[in-house]
Amino acid sequence: MGRLFDGPWPIVIIIIVALLLFAAPKLPAMARSLGQSMRIIKSEVKEMKNDGKPAAKDDTDPVEGKVVNHPEANSKSGNDTDVPPATRS
């Protein structure tokens, strides 16, 4: 007759049965935590792979922004405020 701990399978089965008996209520939370950890690791590995690469270039050049005063924004009464003309008193 063979011994109980000759191979790894009897030990694996005993561990699985013990987990099911004693940790059954915590298994969904443990699985959720494991899934979140795997997603984080996957995203970090992807980030590390893309770390040395330059960002993808678009065919368009960046546009330089300039502040232009709107002709109607200048008040004709001499009040230099940011309040729209309809709400001024």
Side-chain angles (χ1 to χ4, degrees), residues 23-89:
K26 296 181 182 179
L27 285 177
M30 290 170 40
R32 190 176 312 115
S33 175
L34 181 65
Q36 288 175 348
S37 299
M38 293 301 292
R39 278 192 296 262
I40 291 171
I41 290 172
K42 185 177 177 181
S43 67
E44 290 297 325
V45 167
K46 186 176 180 181
E47 182 78 23
M48 286 175 57
K49 285 182 180 179
N50 294 333
D51 196 26
K53 296 180 183 177
K57 284 193 163 189
D58 293 332
D59 292 337
T60 60
D61 292 329
V63 178
E64 182 180 333
K66 295 182 180 178
V67 177
V68 179
N69 291 332
H70 192 275
E72 293 179 5
N74 296 334
S75 62
K76 296 176 184 174
S77 63
N79 289 339
D80 292 334
T81 63
D82 290 338
V83 180
T87 58
R88 288 186 193 150
S89 48

